[in-house]
Amino acid sequence: MADHIKVRPATGTWVVRAAGAVIGESTNALELVEGDYPPVIYFPRTDLAMAFLEPTELRSQCPYKGEASYFTIEAKSGPIANAAWSYENPAEAVAAIKDHLAFYSEKVAVEQV
């Protein structure tokens, strides 16, 4: 497991934009690297406008991280379905991502500023 997934602080300031609006900015984001996949930035909930994120019924299972729950972003231009995910009770090896959300880069912009 230690070789498959690594979680570390993401350097700098990170922003997530949905439909042109900033819904989060953080200097406390985490970078998760899993195997050959591109790194994923996880934002602390405290740095997100959670009022614009609605939990959905969708769930998925990862053998390394646990069960993911999903969120729809309620944007001014309309909902962006299942654009973010979170591990409410992550596996011990990735416990740092608890209370963080990650976003699909094809649905929103996640950028280092």
Side-chain angles (χ1 to χ4, degrees), residues 5-80:
I5 297 179
K6 298 198 183 325
V7 179
R8 59 183 168 239
T11 58
T13 302
W14 288 85
V15 172
V16 58
R17 289 183 179 88
V22 173
I23 61 167
E25 181 175 327
S26 183
T27 57
N28 297 305
L30 298 174
E31 180 184 60
L32 184 143
V33 178
E34 181 175 3
D36 294 331
Y37 293 106
V40 175
I41 301 300
Y42 280 77
F43 289 81
R45 287 176 185 245
T46 55
D47 292 342
L48 295 169
M50 292 300 295
F52 295 100
L53 293 154
E54 286 293 322
T56 70
E57 298 297 318
L58 183 63
R59 300 288 182 270
S60 66
Q61 189 70 33
C62 172
Y64 303 106
K65 296 184 291 284
E67 182 182 80
S69 57
Y70 292 81
F71 295 81
T72 290
I73 299 170
E74 298 299 336
K76 190 174 185 177
S77 59
I80 305 170

Side-chain angles (χ1 to χ4, degrees), residues 64-67 87-99:
Y64 303 106
K65 296 184 291 284
E67 182 182 80
Y87 291 90
E88 306 298 319
N89 297 297
E92 187 175 324
V94 293
I97 64 172
K98 182 173 177 54
D99 298 323

